[in-house]
Amino acid sequence: MFDTFATATRLKATAAVLIALALVALSVPTRALDEKAAMRASGNRFLAIGIGKSAVVDLPRDAKDVLVANPAIANAVVRSARRAYLIGVAAGQTNVIFFDSDGRQLAAYDIEVGRDATGVREALKKLMPNSSVQVDAINDSVVLSGEVANAADAQHAVETAGRLVGDEKKVVNGLIIRGKEQVLLKVTVAEVQRSIIKQLGIDLNGVSIGIGSTVIDFETNNPFTLQNQAISDTFVKPTFKLPGGGTISATLRAMEQSGVLRTLAEPNLTAISGESAKFLAGGEFPIPAGQTCDATTGQCQIQVQFKQFGVGLEFTPVVLGEGRISLRVATEVSELSAEGAIKFSNVNIPALKVRRASSTVELPSGGALVLAGLIQDQTKQNINGVPGLMNIPVLGTLFRSRDYQAGQTELMIMVTPYVVKPNARQDLSRPDDGFAEPADPSTVLLGRLNRIYGGPAAGQQRTYHGNYGFILD
């Protein structure tokens, strides 16, 4: 019974406390509640206004005063006690604060005045209805965001916004390409070079002609200056005896060289739309690039740089949509050559023969571009000899040498772009699929290099026609 009485006493005390709190709450003035509501509404709100545009602001109570931080950016016009108009004047940021008759803050706005993007937004919506491009104006710039189908649409959006704004530098590109296409480029570089070199020269040694007491000795050396050297060291050296005594020795060099050079490269490259890809099939050769010397020991070390040569390719594809590709391709075929080479300090530096071609075209996927007609026909001829004597008909041949060179080059480049998609791993095969090494008795006795190659996988029935696999001669 004592516990029941104690519990009842605690309940009465708690009820008395609650009643006292309720009386205090009821005694709070209405003005204090309004102050809390005003404090909750005093948080600054963000408002974007275009230059020359306006916005209407409705206030919760009658306004007595308004503060504009920078009237050169935005202006506030109060038409009634509870309604005001905010007008954008120039690009920039400022804030506007409204006060009531008691000096309390009614509302505060952080205002950003920028270029009006409504016209740009509507134009892009009409030009690219399938793209979700968002246009926002910040100060005097326009920010493009959202997703587009390909890089061509992104570039078109930036160019359009730049024309409407008046300056493409004021357009910030934040567009995301929804699906970046990949382009496979198949290139065939074929070149044929034909060259002919002819050399004919006669050097006289030990020829003496006497007229009275005057004796003229001939020692002629007519080099081949076109090639800077003879094709080979082969020569014929006849010796003739003169009727009055003495001998004439002549060195005869008659050589001819013909050559054919065929170059073929078929590189395949894949690149994302808008990105560049490079390919080089060749090598690098060293060239001196200065030297460094140690002041203490006096030893010098030659610095070496490497120069590339071979078949090179660089291309940049841009998928325009509907399978069309804008392609910028540049290719180069170079080779080492002794013509134009230099030599110093016992170092031979070869020269390069270079053929380059570049073009920008628009092709459908699977279409072919052919860069042909790159034909070069070159003829060189040098004649060296003794002045005057070399011009004598027939006999002048004994006093001169002839160096002749003719070359023809034809280069053809064929480019085919494809819009490609990734394949599943199980759909791909490796060159060593189906290869199995034979046993030692099979190799030794039968001369077999492989046991199985190119056989069908388990559970697959295939029929092959003609030769397939590798053929080993």
Side-chain angles (χ1 to χ4, degrees), residues 178-238:
R178 186 180 301 114
K180 292 186 177 181
E181 292 88 349
Q182 299 188 44
V183 178
L184 170 66
L185 193 68
K186 291 187 176 182
V187 181
T188 300
V189 180
E191 182 184 22
V192 176
Q193 298 183 38
R194 294 179 293 271
S195 62
I196 297 176
I197 300 176
K198 296 180 180 180
Q199 293 179 337
L200 175 62
I202 298 176
D203 296 335
L204 298 178
N205 299 320
V207 179
S208 297
I209 299 177
I211 302 176
S213 61
T214 303
V215 179
I216 300 176
D217 296 331
F218 289 91
E219 293 286 344
T220 63
N221 182 15
N222 302 317
F224 301 110
T225 57
L226 184 61
Q227 303 294 328
N228 294 324
Q229 61 181 359
I231 297 176
S232 68
D233 295 333
T234 303
F235 61 89
V236 177
K237 193 171 184 179

Side-chain angles (χ1 to χ4, degrees), residues 63-400:
K64 180 64 177 178
D65 193 10
V66 58
L67 172 63
V68 180
N70 189 352
I73 302 298
N75 194 9
V77 179
V78 180
R79 291 298 184 183
S80 64
R82 295 196 178 188
R83 174 166 291 183
Y85 302 98
L86 302 180
I87 302 174
V89 179
Q93 296 179 350
T94 185
N95 61 343
V96 178
I97 305 175
F98 296 92
F99 301 93
D100 59 7
S101 58
D102 295 333
R104 293 171 301 179
Q105 179 177 319
L106 293 178
Y109 292 90
D110 290 332
I111 299 177
E112 181 177 356
V113 181
R115 191 185 300 270
D116 187 16
T118 304
V120 179
R121 189 180 298 109
E122 294 299 326
L124 293 180
K125 186 181 296 184
K126 293 180 180 179
L127 293 176
M128 295 183 294
N130 297 327
S131 301
S132 57
V133 180
Q134 301 175 3
V135 183
D136 298 316
I138 300 178
N139 294 334
D140 60 343
S141 300
V142 174
V143 179
L144 303 182
S145 59
E147 294 183 353
V148 293
N150 47 57
D153 289 348
Q155 184 64 25
H156 184 46
V158 173
E159 292 177 354
T160 302
R163 292 191 183 97
L164 296 177
V165 171
D167 187 1
E168 192 170 338
K169 296 181 180 179
K170 298 293 184 180
V171 179
V172 180
N173 184 8
L175 297 173
I176 300 175
I177 299 177
R178 186 180 301 114
K180 292 186 177 181
E181 292 88 349
Q182 299 188 44
V183 178
L184 170 66
L185 193 68
K186 291 187 176 182
V187 181
T188 300
V189 180
E191 182 184 22
V192 176
Q193 298 183 38
R194 294 179 293 271
S195 62
I196 297 176
I197 300 176
K198 296 180 180 180
Q199 293 179 337
L200 175 62
I202 298 176
D203 296 335
L204 298 178
N205 299 320
V207 179
S208 297
I209 299 177
I211 302 176
S213 61
T214 303
V215 179
I216 300 176
D217 296 331
F218 289 91
E219 293 286 344
T220 63
N221 182 15
N222 302 317
F224 301 110
T225 57
L226 184 61
Q227 303 294 328
N228 294 324
Q229 61 181 359
I231 297 176
S232 68
D233 295 333
T234 303
F235 61 89
V236 177
K237 193 171 184 179
T239 302
F240 305 95
K241 292 184 179 181
L242 297 177
T247 59
I248 297 176
S249 297
T251 301
L252 173 63
R253 295 186 177 92
M255 293 158 289
E256 182 175 347
Q257 184 183 80
S258 300
V260 176
L261 174 63
R262 175 177 178 265
T263 302
L264 177 64
E266 294 182 332
N268 294 335
L269 294 177
T270 303
I272 297 176
S273 175
E275 301 294 334
S276 299
K278 296 181 180 180
F279 168 84
L280 175 66
E284 296 182 344
F285 66 96
I287 57 175
Q291 62 180 2
T292 57
C293 299
D294 191 347
T296 304
T297 62
Q299 296 180 353
C300 297
Q301 184 177 3
I302 298 178
Q303 303 295 325
V304 177
Q305 292 181 353
F306 287 87
K307 180 74 174 179
Q308 295 180 348
F309 70 96
V311 179
L313 171 68
E314 180 178 0
F315 78 101
T316 303
V318 176
V319 179
L320 303 178
E322 299 181 357
R324 300 198 64 82
I325 302 171
S326 175
L327 183 65
R328 181 174 63 86
V329 58
T331 184
E332 175 181 308
V333 180
S334 59
E335 60 177 322
L336 299 179
S337 174
E339 183 179 356
I342 60 176
K343 179 179 180 181
F344 64 93
S345 300
N346 297 325
V347 177
N348 293 326
I349 302 177
L352 280 179
K353 287 185 177 179
V354 182
R355 278 80 68 198
R356 294 188 180 97
S358 61
S359 179
T360 301
V361 295
E362 182 178 334
L363 298 172
S365 178
L369 165 68
V370 178
L371 301 178
L374 304 177
I375 301 175
Q376 180 182 4
D377 193 347
Q378 189 177 51
T379 302
K380 297 180 181 180
Q381 185 170 205
N382 284 354
I383 296 179
N384 300 319
V386 180
L389 298 179
M390 60 181 291
N391 297 325
I392 300 175
V394 182
L395 295 179
T397 307
L398 301 175
F399 301 95
R400 66 173 179 255

Side-chain angles (χ1 to χ4, degrees), residues 403-426:
D403 199 356
Y404 173 83
Q405 178 181 357
Q408 294 179 343
T409 301
E410 183 175 359
L411 176 63
M412 189 276 292
I413 303 167
M414 184 168 59
V415 181
T416 306
Y418 296 91
V419 178
V420 298
K421 295 181 179 180
N423 294 330
R425 176 64 181 87
Q426 58 270 17

